[in-house]
Amino acid sequence: MLAGCTPWPTEFADRYRERGYWQGETIGAFLRDRARRFAERTAVVGAGQRWSYAELDARADRMAAGLARLGIGAGDRVVVQLPNRPEVFEVAFALFRLGALPVYALPAHRRAEISYLCSFTEAAALVVADTDAGFDYRALAEEVRAETGGPEHILVAGETGDRPGLTPLERMRAGGGAGPGATAEPDPADVAFLQLSGGTTGLPKLIPRTHDDYLYSVRASADICELDTATVYLAALPAVHNFPMSSPGFLGTFSVGGTVVLAPDPSPATCLALIDAEAVTHTAVVPPVAMLWLDAVEGGAHAHRDLSSLRVLQVGGAKFNPEAARRVRPTLGCALQQVFGMAEGLVNYTRYDDPEEVVTTTQGRPISPDDELRVVDSDGTEVPPGGLGELQTRGPYTIRGYYRAPEHNAAAFTPDGFYRTGDLVRLTPTGHIVVEGRAKDQINRGGEKIAPDEVEDHLLAHPAVHDATVVAMPDRFLGERACAYVVPRASAPARAELLAFLRERGLAGYKIPDRVEFVDAFPATGVGKVSRRELREAVRAAHAPGAPPPARPAPQP
Ligand code: AMP
Ligand code: DBH
């Protein structure tokens, strides 16, 4: 296995193979097989292109040959930051075929995140788009190289704009070659790619997923969601996120010969038009996007769109409130499926035959009979049935450790290999999970996860900031937003300047605090050195609704 990863103990690996979960197939071979079975069916629609399974397969081979010519091969890490365009599949499958590992960055990531990913993984290459949604990713890539001294290759989907250090992805496609035949087929038990975790402490953690474990979650998800060749799946969220990738997502759709439609953005205008035009049957969104769609349809502005093809709206990534959940069927005319998942592994679905009450008020139940769930109190003792506690889990597609993170792993996993999800849940008598809250230090901003630590570290780098803490504040639309409490040095910087400072440091937009409050001091939290966590709790309590207003509240910039 890739160095820096924690394998499953042999007895578990043996069991998962015996029970047929791990089938010894690589993701590259998986596509080859589907290309044979579904050759002329449409695999991908997006950015004005339509690729059949045969074309996607051939493109992946050509791309793999081109990447191999650059010297990219088995075990190499390649940071991939691509928007929802067909190239995202071409590049990913090419890397799988070479046994190279995609490291998936989100389109929203900026210099701070991409530099970190490139350095931490010692990436051999970075793949970006030219521009998307008005943002120039080539300039970002060049800044990353200037800052980190790497990666050696920067590949651009689209125009390089005559920037000499950048290589057009198009060049990888030229020049034929026999494909990756020369390289040995990767080991299905080995790591296929590194997925990003929202993280709780400092920088995002990387999640090593193996071909075997991931394809199991994909096949089982496609089965639970009843996908077939007639499925048209709309990727409304960034396709590289774990949810649209595997729950059942584009891989689940490819597994059955369906069609994946790539939406350039999740707005109702874009997505409702695509549902109509492409006769979309399934799609997946985060709660705020679901609410935008519901409001848009109820508002009547999209009455000319025919949404009758849509069978299932999946909602996950953050808690979907039951009131909104109950609007899905009457408004969109399709079923709701709640999905509670994590890139670390465990995914839960409400089932199509669950009663409406279960679908609207629970976050589903696990994929696998071998998903082990434990709900524990703060001492780690299991709570009585139905009690509230932290969810711990272990199973055939849940990792046993993050990549190159021994210290963090010691805290994030129990000695017997359960992942501490940090989610506060209770189980219903039917085994459905209700997510009630969180035991981890994280802000869930409408499905986008923020580690307060990471943002605080950037705030503390400002010369006028004495101390800073970032906490969640409730929000009707996003569920939560981020609020930074700042103790200034002599005089407080302007809010706008502080936020601009964070942007200049290259932080992704969704991590920039929605609100900044200057305070003279933080509440006392006891004696001696306090942990950041205790401080956040104290700040949260002191400024909770009903508590006295924070010092010097001021309008937002
Ligand atoms: P990550 O570990 O970054 O992949 O984020 C996974 C986390 O997102 C979970 O541990 C939950 O905290 C949260 N999450 C995902 N889906 C849901 C959901 N349907 N309801 C509530 N929280 C969710
Ligand atoms: O939030 C998530 O990470 C998530 C949500 C739904 C996920 O990883 C998934 C489904 O697979």
Side-chain angles (χ1 to χ4, degrees), residues 241-243 247 317 339 341-343 347 449:
H241 185 281
N242 198 59
F243 185 9
S247 300
V339 189
M342 50 207 76
V347 180
K449 319 299 187 317

Side-chain angles (χ1 to χ4, degrees), residues 85-420:
R85 296 190 202 159
E87 292 96 321
V88 71
F89 301 137
E90 187 183 14
V91 170
F93 283 110
L95 293 171
F96 292 141
R97 291 224 163 125
L98 292 170
L101 283 74
V103 180
Y104 288 118
L106 294 171
H109 286 146
R110 292 296 176 258
R111 197 181 70 244
E113 290 90 8
I114 305 296
S115 290
Y116 160 73
L117 290 175
C118 287
S119 326
F120 187 74
T121 66
E122 300 167 80
L126 166 63
V127 186
V128 295
D130 43 13
T131 61
D132 189 65
F135 183 79
D136 194 332
Y137 287 91
R138 298 165 298 194
L140 171 61
E142 286 185 323
E143 285 171 33
V144 167
R145 185 181 265 165
E147 185 168 301
T148 65
E152 188 181 347
H153 304 288
I154 297 175
L155 300 166
V156 178
E159 303 294 324
T160 57
D162 289 329
R163 294 165 189 255
L166 311 186
T167 308
L169 202 58
E170 186 58 37
R171 196 179 298 161
M172 303 300 104
R173 299 185 183 110
T183 56
E185 173 74 2
D187 178 354
D190 210 338
V191 177
F193 62 92
L194 296 170
Q195 185 64 280
L196 233 65
S197 139
T200 53
T201 52
L203 296 160
K205 298 293 172 287
L206 289 164
I207 298 169
R209 300 293 300 260
T210 66
H211 298 269
D212 270 336
D213 92 72
Y214 209 63
L215 284 180
Y216 168 52
S217 78
V218 164
R219 281 191 315 269
S221 295
D223 194 40
I224 288 167
C225 300
E226 300 175 12
L227 305 193
D228 57 27
T229 47
T231 296
V232 180
Y233 176 86
L234 179 70
L237 301 172
V240 296
H241 185 281
N242 198 59
F243 185 9
M245 191 171 334
S246 64
S247 300
F250 70 78
L251 285 176
T253 306
F254 290 153
S255 77
V256 296
T259 299
V260 175
V261 177
L262 289 162
D265 67 76
S267 69
T270 299
C271 289
L272 299 177
L274 282 171
I275 291 170
D276 182 356
E278 300 293 340
V280 168
T281 58
H282 295 70
T283 189
V285 296
V286 289
V289 170
M291 295 205 302
L292 281 179
W293 290 15
L294 291 169
D295 289 350
V297 171
E298 285 163 10
H302 303 274
H304 58 296
R305 299 293 183 201
D306 177 3
L307 307 180
S308 60
S309 58
L310 195 60
R311 290 178 44 208
V312 184
L313 178 73
Q314 296 184 301
V315 181
K319 174 96 176 225
F320 195 34
N321 82 55
E323 289 72 42
R326 282 190 268 272
R327 287 160 62 200
V328 170
R329 189 181 281 286
T331 300
L332 299 176
C334 68
L336 165 69
Q337 180 174 50
Q338 295 214 40
V339 189
F340 164 42
M342 50 207 76
E344 286 82 355
L346 181 72
V347 180
N348 306 278
Y349 297 99
T350 56
R351 304 304 202 264
Y352 296 160
D353 58 0
D354 281 337
E356 191 75 6
E357 178 66 12
V358 169
V359 172
T360 52
T361 62
T362 83
Q363 281 63 59
R365 58 183 173 84
I367 289 180
S368 177
D370 276 273
D371 280 322
E372 299 172 74
L373 270 55
R374 211 152 67 181
V375 182
V376 302
D377 65 19
S378 49
D379 299 330
T381 314
E382 279 196 62
V383 301
L388 183 70
E390 185 191 354
L391 176 66
Q392 300 183 343
T393 185
R394 165 174 99 166
Y397 59 98
T398 297
I399 57 162
R400 294 296 186 118
Y402 293 100
Y403 177 60
R404 290 184 173 168
E407 245 173 70
H408 183 69
N409 286 342
F413 295 83
T414 65
D416 57 349
F418 280 73
Y419 167 55
R420 302 183 207 265

